[in-house]
Amino acid sequence: MRMGPAELVQAAAMARRFYLEGKSKIQIAEEFGVSRFKVARVLETALERDLVRIEIRVPAELDAERSDALRARYGLRHAVVVESPAEEQDDAPDPENLGEVAADLLGELVAEGDVLGLAWGRSTIHMAAALDRLPPCTVVQLTGVYDAGTAERGSVEAVRRAAQVSGGEAHPIYAPMLLPDPATAAALREQTGIARAFEYFDKVTVAAVSIGSWEPGISTVHDMLSDEERAHYASLGVAAEMSAHLFDAEGRRVGRDLGERCITVEADRLRRIPEVVAIAGGQRKAAAIGAVLRSGLVTSLVTDTAAADYLLTESAAGVRPALERADPDGE
Protein backbone atom coordinates (compact mmCIF):
# COMPACT_ATOMS: atom_id res chain seq x y z
CA MET A 1 0.00 0.00 0.00
CA ARG A 2 1.06 3.55 -0.68
CA MET A 3 2.44 5.38 2.37
CA GLY A 4 0.92 8.75 3.21
CA PRO A 5 3.03 11.80 4.04
CA ALA A 6 2.71 11.33 7.81
CA GLU A 7 3.79 7.70 7.52
CA LEU A 8 6.73 8.68 5.31
CA VAL A 9 7.89 11.34 7.73
CA GLN A 10 7.58 8.99 10.69
CA ALA A 11 9.38 6.20 8.88
CA ALA A 12 12.20 8.55 7.92
CA ALA A 13 12.51 9.80 11.49
CA MET A 14 12.59 6.29 12.95
CA ALA A 15 15.15 5.18 10.37
CA ARG A 16 17.35 8.16 11.21
CA ARG A 17 17.18 7.32 14.92
CA PHE A 18 17.99 3.65 14.30
CA TYR A 19 20.61 3.74 11.52
CA LEU A 20 22.34 7.08 12.08
CA GLU A 21 21.91 7.81 15.78
CA GLY A 22 22.27 4.23 16.99
CA LYS A 23 19.13 4.18 19.13
CA SER A 24 17.47 0.88 19.96
CA LYS A 25 13.99 -0.09 18.80
CA ILE A 26 12.76 0.16 22.41
CA GLN A 27 14.08 3.72 22.72
CA ILE A 28 12.44 4.69 19.44
CA ALA A 29 9.16 3.09 20.52
CA GLU A 30 9.16 5.10 23.75
CA GLU A 31 9.86 8.34 21.87
CA PHE A 32 7.04 7.85 19.35
CA GLY A 33 4.58 6.20 21.72
CA VAL A 34 4.29 2.94 19.77
CA SER A 35 5.31 -0.68 20.36
CA ARG A 36 8.77 -1.92 19.43
CA PHE A 37 7.05 -4.33 17.05
CA LYS A 38 5.57 -1.34 15.23
CA VAL A 39 9.03 0.20 15.02
CA ALA A 40 10.41 -3.05 13.54
CA ARG A 41 7.64 -3.09 10.89
CA VAL A 42 8.26 0.54 9.99
CA LEU A 43 11.99 -0.03 9.60
CA GLU A 44 11.35 -3.08 7.45
CA THR A 45 8.93 -1.08 5.29
CA ALA A 46 11.47 1.73 4.98
CA LEU A 47 13.91 -0.75 3.46
CA GLU A 48 11.29 -2.26 1.16
CA ARG A 49 10.13 1.18 -0.08
CA ASP A 50 13.71 2.34 -0.68
CA LEU A 51 13.50 5.06 1.96
CA VAL A 52 16.67 3.53 3.42
CA ARG A 53 19.53 2.14 1.39
CA ILE A 54 22.18 0.06 3.13
CA GLU A 55 25.50 0.02 1.32
CA ILE A 56 28.41 -2.15 2.36
CA ARG A 57 31.62 -0.65 1.09
CA VAL A 58 35.20 -1.86 1.34
CA PRO A 59 38.26 -0.45 -0.45
CA ALA A 60 38.08 -1.15 -4.17
CA GLU A 61 41.07 -3.48 -4.11
CA LEU A 62 39.43 -5.84 -1.60
CA ASP A 63 36.95 -8.47 -2.80
CA ALA A 64 34.67 -9.03 0.19
CA GLU A 65 32.51 -11.70 -1.48
CA ARG A 66 35.41 -13.90 -2.54
CA SER A 67 37.10 -13.35 0.83
CA ASP A 68 34.09 -14.62 2.76
CA ALA A 69 33.54 -17.55 0.38
CA LEU A 70 37.18 -18.62 0.65
CA ARG A 71 37.14 -18.34 4.44
CA ALA A 72 34.04 -20.53 4.64
CA ARG A 73 35.23 -23.13 2.11
CA TYR A 74 38.54 -23.82 3.84
CA GLY A 75 37.49 -23.07 7.40
CA LEU A 76 40.02 -20.25 7.75
CA ARG A 77 40.10 -17.72 10.55
CA HIS A 78 40.75 -14.88 8.09
CA ALA A 79 40.78 -14.79 4.30
CA VAL A 80 41.52 -11.55 2.48
CA VAL A 81 41.30 -11.46 -1.32
CA VAL A 82 42.66 -8.51 -3.27
CA GLU A 83 42.19 -7.69 -6.93
CA SER A 84 44.76 -9.26 -9.23
CA PRO A 85 46.79 -6.92 -11.45
CA ALA A 86 44.96 -6.04 -14.66
CA GLU A 87 47.69 -7.71 -16.70
CA GLU A 88 49.20 -10.53 -14.72
CA GLN A 89 52.34 -11.95 -16.32
CA ASP A 90 52.79 -15.71 -16.27
CA ASP A 91 56.23 -15.43 -14.68
CA ALA A 92 55.29 -12.72 -12.19
CA PRO A 93 55.88 -13.33 -8.45
CA ASP A 94 53.19 -12.59 -5.88
CA PRO A 95 51.51 -9.23 -6.54
CA GLU A 96 53.20 -6.63 -4.34
CA ASN A 97 49.85 -5.35 -3.05
CA LEU A 98 49.45 -8.64 -1.17
CA GLY A 99 52.26 -7.56 1.11
CA GLU A 100 50.65 -4.19 1.72
CA VAL A 101 47.32 -5.76 2.66
CA ALA A 102 49.06 -8.38 4.81
CA ALA A 103 50.87 -5.58 6.65
CA ASP A 104 47.52 -4.04 7.55
CA LEU A 105 46.21 -7.46 8.62
CA LEU A 106 49.19 -8.00 10.94
CA GLY A 107 48.46 -4.61 12.43
CA GLU A 108 45.08 -6.04 13.44
CA LEU A 109 46.24 -9.48 14.57
CA VAL A 110 49.37 -8.74 16.58
CA ALA A 111 48.80 -7.64 20.18
CA GLU A 112 51.21 -6.12 22.66
CA GLY A 113 53.55 -8.75 24.07
CA ASP A 114 53.09 -11.16 21.15
CA VAL A 115 55.98 -12.88 19.41
CA LEU A 116 55.83 -12.38 15.64
CA GLY A 117 57.60 -14.90 13.41
CA LEU A 118 58.62 -14.10 9.84
CA ALA A 119 59.63 -16.74 7.31
CA TRP A 120 61.58 -15.95 4.15
CA GLY A 121 59.54 -15.08 1.07
CA ARG A 122 59.14 -12.23 -1.38
CA SER A 123 55.62 -11.56 -0.13
CA THR A 124 56.66 -11.48 3.54
CA ILE A 125 59.52 -9.13 2.69
CA HIS A 126 57.10 -6.83 0.82
CA MET A 127 54.83 -7.03 3.85
CA ALA A 128 57.60 -6.01 6.24
CA ALA A 129 58.53 -3.07 4.03
CA ALA A 130 54.89 -1.90 4.09
CA LEU A 131 54.46 -2.13 7.86
CA ASP A 132 53.61 1.19 9.47
CA ARG A 133 52.02 0.04 12.73
CA LEU A 134 52.61 -2.80 15.15
CA PRO A 135 52.15 -2.91 18.91
CA PRO A 136 55.26 -3.63 20.98
CA CYS A 137 56.25 -7.22 20.23
CA THR A 138 59.25 -9.48 19.76
CA VAL A 139 60.11 -10.39 16.16
CA VAL A 140 61.91 -13.63 15.31
CA GLN A 141 63.12 -15.03 12.01
CA LEU A 142 61.68 -18.47 11.24
CA THR A 143 63.96 -19.51 8.38
CA GLY A 144 67.50 -19.02 7.27
CA VAL A 145 68.55 -16.58 4.58
CA TYR A 146 68.11 -16.93 0.85
CA ASP A 147 70.19 -14.23 -0.80
CA ALA A 148 68.17 -13.03 -3.78
CA GLY A 149 71.01 -10.66 -4.67
CA THR A 150 69.71 -7.47 -3.06
CA ALA A 151 70.31 -6.79 0.62
CA GLU A 152 67.20 -4.66 1.07
CA ARG A 153 65.02 -7.66 0.21
CA GLY A 154 66.54 -10.03 2.75
CA SER A 155 64.71 -11.79 5.57
CA VAL A 156 67.10 -10.35 8.17
CA GLU A 157 66.15 -6.88 7.00
CA ALA A 158 62.46 -7.81 7.18
CA VAL A 159 62.85 -8.87 10.83
CA ARG A 160 64.72 -5.68 11.65
CA ARG A 161 62.09 -3.56 9.93
CA ALA A 162 59.21 -5.20 11.82
CA ALA A 163 61.04 -4.82 15.12
CA GLN A 164 61.76 -1.18 14.35
CA VAL A 165 58.08 -0.47 13.69
CA SER A 166 56.98 -2.29 16.85
CA GLY A 167 59.78 -1.04 19.07
CA GLY A 168 60.44 -4.61 20.19
CA GLU A 169 63.39 -7.00 20.14
CA ALA A 170 64.64 -8.54 16.89
CA HIS A 171 66.02 -12.08 16.67
CA PRO A 172 67.38 -12.59 13.15
CA ILE A 173 69.11 -15.71 11.85
CA TYR A 174 72.45 -15.11 10.14
CA ALA A 175 72.65 -18.43 8.31
CA PRO A 176 71.68 -19.84 4.91
CA MET A 177 68.33 -21.55 4.62
CA LEU A 178 69.78 -24.61 2.84
CA LEU A 179 73.04 -26.29 3.83
CA PRO A 180 75.07 -28.93 1.96
CA ASP A 181 74.35 -31.69 4.47
CA PRO A 182 72.51 -32.43 7.75
CA ALA A 183 75.70 -32.30 9.84
CA THR A 184 76.48 -28.72 8.78
CA ALA A 185 72.89 -27.68 9.46
CA ALA A 186 72.93 -29.30 12.89
CA ALA A 187 76.19 -27.54 13.78
CA LEU A 188 74.78 -24.16 12.76
CA ARG A 189 71.66 -24.70 14.86
CA GLU A 190 73.92 -24.98 17.91
CA GLN A 191 75.52 -21.58 17.35
CA THR A 192 74.53 -19.08 20.03
CA GLY A 193 72.61 -16.56 17.93
CA ILE A 194 70.74 -19.18 15.92
CA ALA A 195 69.97 -21.28 18.99
CA ARG A 196 68.57 -18.18 20.70
CA ALA A 197 66.21 -17.55 17.78
CA PHE A 198 65.13 -21.21 17.81
CA GLU A 199 64.27 -20.89 21.50
CA TYR A 200 61.61 -18.37 20.53
CA PHE A 201 59.89 -20.69 18.04
CA ASP A 202 57.67 -22.22 20.73
CA LYS A 203 56.70 -18.71 21.89
CA VAL A 204 55.57 -17.41 18.50
CA THR A 205 51.91 -16.36 18.57
CA VAL A 206 51.55 -14.95 15.04
CA ALA A 207 53.56 -16.03 12.00
CA ALA A 208 53.71 -14.81 8.41
CA VAL A 209 54.80 -17.29 5.74
CA SER A 210 55.02 -17.50 1.97
CA ILE A 211 54.04 -20.34 -0.36
CA GLY A 212 55.82 -21.52 -3.50
CA SER A 213 54.88 -23.93 -6.26
CA TRP A 214 57.44 -26.40 -7.55
CA GLU A 215 58.63 -24.26 -10.45
CA PRO A 216 61.63 -22.06 -11.27
CA GLY A 217 61.25 -18.58 -9.86
CA ILE A 218 58.11 -19.52 -7.91
CA SER A 219 59.80 -21.65 -5.23
CA THR A 220 62.81 -20.58 -3.21
CA VAL A 221 63.77 -24.15 -2.39
CA HIS A 222 63.40 -25.28 -6.02
CA ASP A 223 65.84 -22.58 -7.12
CA MET A 224 68.43 -23.53 -4.48
CA LEU A 225 68.63 -27.22 -5.43
CA SER A 226 70.57 -28.99 -8.16
CA ASP A 227 68.80 -30.39 -11.23
CA GLU A 228 69.23 -33.91 -9.85
CA GLU A 229 67.72 -32.95 -6.50
CA ARG A 230 64.79 -31.18 -8.16
CA ALA A 231 64.04 -34.26 -10.21
CA HIS A 232 64.20 -36.45 -7.10
CA TYR A 233 61.71 -34.38 -5.15
CA ALA A 234 59.48 -33.98 -8.18
CA SER A 235 59.32 -37.78 -8.39
CA LEU A 236 57.91 -37.77 -4.84
CA GLY A 237 54.97 -35.68 -6.04
CA VAL A 238 55.94 -32.34 -4.53
CA ALA A 239 53.41 -29.67 -5.50
CA ALA A 240 54.19 -26.89 -3.02
CA GLU A 241 56.72 -25.64 -0.52
CA MET A 242 56.49 -23.43 2.52
CA SER A 243 59.39 -22.52 4.79
CA ALA A 244 61.50 -25.29 3.20
CA HIS A 245 58.82 -27.93 3.86
CA LEU A 246 57.52 -29.81 0.80
CA PHE A 247 53.92 -30.93 0.23
CA ASP A 248 52.07 -33.04 -2.30
CA ALA A 249 48.74 -31.98 -3.79
CA GLU A 250 46.84 -33.37 -0.79
CA GLY A 251 48.87 -31.41 1.74
CA ARG A 252 50.96 -34.37 2.91
CA ARG A 253 54.62 -33.66 3.62
CA VAL A 254 57.12 -35.29 1.26
CA GLY A 255 60.89 -35.18 1.03
CA ARG A 256 61.32 -34.77 4.77
CA ASP A 257 65.04 -35.44 4.48
CA LEU A 258 65.39 -31.96 2.97
CA GLY A 259 64.37 -30.42 6.29
CA GLU A 260 67.43 -31.96 7.95
CA ARG A 261 69.60 -29.74 5.73
CA CYS A 262 67.59 -26.58 6.34
CA ILE A 263 67.54 -23.85 8.94
CA THR A 264 63.81 -23.46 9.44
CA VAL A 265 60.99 -23.79 11.93
CA GLU A 266 59.86 -27.41 12.22
CA ALA A 267 56.41 -28.30 10.89
CA ASP A 268 55.14 -29.50 14.27
CA ARG A 269 56.14 -26.20 15.86
CA LEU A 270 54.50 -24.29 13.03
CA ARG A 271 51.29 -26.24 13.61
CA ARG A 272 51.24 -25.13 17.26
CA ILE A 273 51.46 -21.42 16.45
CA PRO A 274 47.99 -19.96 17.12
CA GLU A 275 47.88 -17.76 14.01
CA VAL A 276 49.79 -18.58 10.80
CA VAL A 277 49.10 -16.17 7.94
CA ALA A 278 50.10 -17.32 4.46
CA ILE A 279 50.67 -14.65 1.81
CA ALA A 280 50.59 -15.93 -1.76
CA GLY A 281 48.72 -15.29 -4.99
CA GLY A 282 48.73 -15.60 -8.76
CA GLN A 283 47.52 -18.33 -11.09
CA ARG A 284 50.81 -20.22 -11.01
CA LYS A 285 50.64 -20.57 -7.22
CA ALA A 286 46.93 -21.39 -6.95
CA ALA A 287 47.29 -25.18 -6.78
CA ALA A 288 50.22 -24.87 -4.37
CA ILE A 289 48.16 -22.66 -2.07
CA GLY A 290 45.41 -25.28 -2.05
CA ALA A 291 47.94 -27.97 -1.11
CA VAL A 292 49.30 -25.95 1.81
CA LEU A 293 45.79 -25.13 3.04
CA ARG A 294 45.17 -28.90 3.22
CA SER A 295 48.31 -29.36 5.34
CA GLY A 296 46.69 -27.90 8.47
CA LEU A 297 49.62 -25.55 9.03
CA VAL A 298 47.88 -22.33 8.00
CA THR A 299 45.01 -20.54 9.74
CA SER A 300 44.64 -17.43 7.55
CA LEU A 301 45.35 -16.42 3.95
CA VAL A 302 46.02 -13.24 2.00
CA THR A 303 45.70 -13.90 -1.73
CA ASP A 304 44.40 -12.42 -4.97
CA THR A 305 41.34 -12.99 -7.15
CA ALA A 306 43.25 -15.15 -9.66
CA ALA A 307 44.22 -17.69 -7.00
CA ALA A 308 40.90 -17.36 -5.16
CA ASP A 309 38.89 -18.25 -8.27
CA TYR A 310 40.88 -21.47 -8.62
CA LEU A 311 40.56 -22.32 -4.93
CA LEU A 312 36.79 -21.74 -4.99
CA THR A 313 36.24 -24.03 -7.97
CA GLU A 314 38.66 -26.88 -7.27
CA SER A 315 37.31 -30.12 -5.90
CA ALA A 316 36.28 -29.95 -2.26
CA ALA A 317 37.42 -33.54 -1.74
CA GLY A 318 39.97 -33.72 1.04
CA VAL A 319 39.39 -30.15 2.17
CA ARG A 320 39.26 -29.95 5.95
CA PRO A 321 38.75 -26.84 8.07
CA ALA A 322 42.14 -25.18 8.42
CA LEU A 323 41.43 -24.36 12.04
CA GLU A 324 41.39 -28.07 12.92
CA ARG A 325 45.18 -27.95 12.34
CA ALA A 326 44.89 -31.61 11.33
CA ASP A 327 47.95 -33.31 9.85
CA PRO A 328 47.00 -35.19 6.62
CA ASP A 329 49.62 -37.80 7.54
CA GLY A 330 47.84 -38.43 10.84
CA GLU A 331 50.90 -37.62 12.89
Side-chain angles (χ1 to χ4, degrees), residues 231-256:
H232 166 66
Y233 290 116
S235 71
L236 300 179
V238 60
E241 64 95 356
M242 180 180 69
S243 302
H245 300 295
L246 309 182
F247 307 87
D248 67 11
E250 302 306 318
R252 295 183 293 259
R253 290 181 59 210
V254 296
R256 298 188 182 212

Side-chain angles (χ1 to χ4, degrees), residues 2 70 81 99 178 207 209 229 281 287 310:
R2 180 178 177 181
L70 197 60
V81 178
L178 180 66
V209 299
E229 290 171 323
Y310 173 88

Side-chain angles (χ1 to χ4, degrees), residues 73-74 248-252 287 290-291 293-295 310-321 328:
R73 182 178 180 85
Y74 286 90
D248 67 11
E250 302 306 318
R252 295 183 293 259
L293 290 181
R294 289 184 172 89
S295 74
Y310 173 88
L311 294 168
L312 290 171
T313 56
E314 72 166 347
S315 171
V319 175
R320 302 173 69 173

Side-chain angles (χ1 to χ4, degrees), residues 148-224:
T150 53
E152 70 272 12
R153 294 178 57 190
S155 46
V156 170
E157 288 70 26
V159 169
R160 286 175 173 168
R161 166 64 182 169
Q164 180 184 31
V165 172
S166 74
E169 295 182 3
H171 294 276
I173 293 178
Y174 297 98
M177 182 186 296
L178 180 66
L179 283 303
D181 53 71
T184 304
L188 278 177
R189 293 189 197 103
E190 296 299 320
Q191 289 190 359
T192 303
I194 298 174
R196 186 179 300 116
F198 267 63
E199 289 174 0
Y200 274 91
F201 286 179
D202 287 329
K203 304 174 185 177
V204 173
T205 49
V206 181
V209 299
S210 296
I211 295 172
S213 57
W214 200 244
E215 300 177 61
I218 310 296
S219 164
T220 300
V221 174
H222 181 281
D223 293 345
M224 288 192 291

Side-chain angles (χ1 to χ4, degrees), residues 85-290:
E87 296 182 2
E88 181 184 357
Q89 299 179 359
D90 290 340
D91 59 348
D94 298 311
E96 290 193 19
N97 60 344
L98 293 186
E100 297 169 3
V101 173
D104 286 341
L105 179 60
L106 277 195
E108 293 182 56
L109 299 182
V110 177
E112 183 173 353
D114 274 347
V115 177
L116 172 63
L118 299 181
W120 192 95
R122 295 181 183 90
S123 54
T124 53
I125 290 170
H126 288 148
M127 177 205 69
L131 283 171
D132 59 10
R133 63 184 176 101
L134 272 181
C137 65
T138 300
V139 185
V140 61
Q141 193 170 323
L142 296 178
T143 62
V145 174
Y146 171 61
D147 183 4
T150 53
E152 70 272 12
R153 294 178 57 190
S155 46
V156 170
E157 288 70 26
V159 169
R160 286 175 173 168
R161 166 64 182 169
Q164 180 184 31
V165 172
S166 74
E169 295 182 3
H171 294 276
I173 293 178
Y174 297 98
M177 182 186 296
L178 180 66
L179 283 303
D181 53 71
T184 304
L188 278 177
R189 293 189 197 103
E190 296 299 320
Q191 289 190 359
T192 303
I194 298 174
R196 186 179 300 116
F198 267 63
E199 289 174 0
Y200 274 91
F201 286 179
D202 287 329
K203 304 174 185 177
V204 173
T205 49
V206 181
V209 299
S210 296
I211 295 172
S213 57
W214 200 244
E215 300 177 61
I218 310 296
S219 164
T220 300
V221 174
H222 181 281
D223 293 345
M224 288 192 291
L225 297 174
S226 67
D227 290 340
E228 183 179 354
E229 290 171 323
R230 292 169 189 158
H232 166 66
Y233 290 116
S235 71
L236 300 179
V238 60
E241 64 95 356
M242 180 180 69
S243 302
H245 300 295
L246 309 182
F247 307 87
D248 67 11
E250 302 306 318
R252 295 183 293 259
R253 290 181 59 210
V254 296
R256 298 188 182 212
D257 60 304
L258 181 66
E260 298 174 3
R261 296 169 48 195
C262 292
I263 303 297
T264 185
V265 60
E266 300 94 328
D268 58 342
R269 279 177 158 174
L270 199 59
R271 198 181 305 277
R272 292 196 297 268
I273 296 174
E275 182 74 85
V276 179
V277 181
I279 313 161
Q283 294 180 3
R284 290 180 66 182
K285 283 193 177 183
I289 296 169

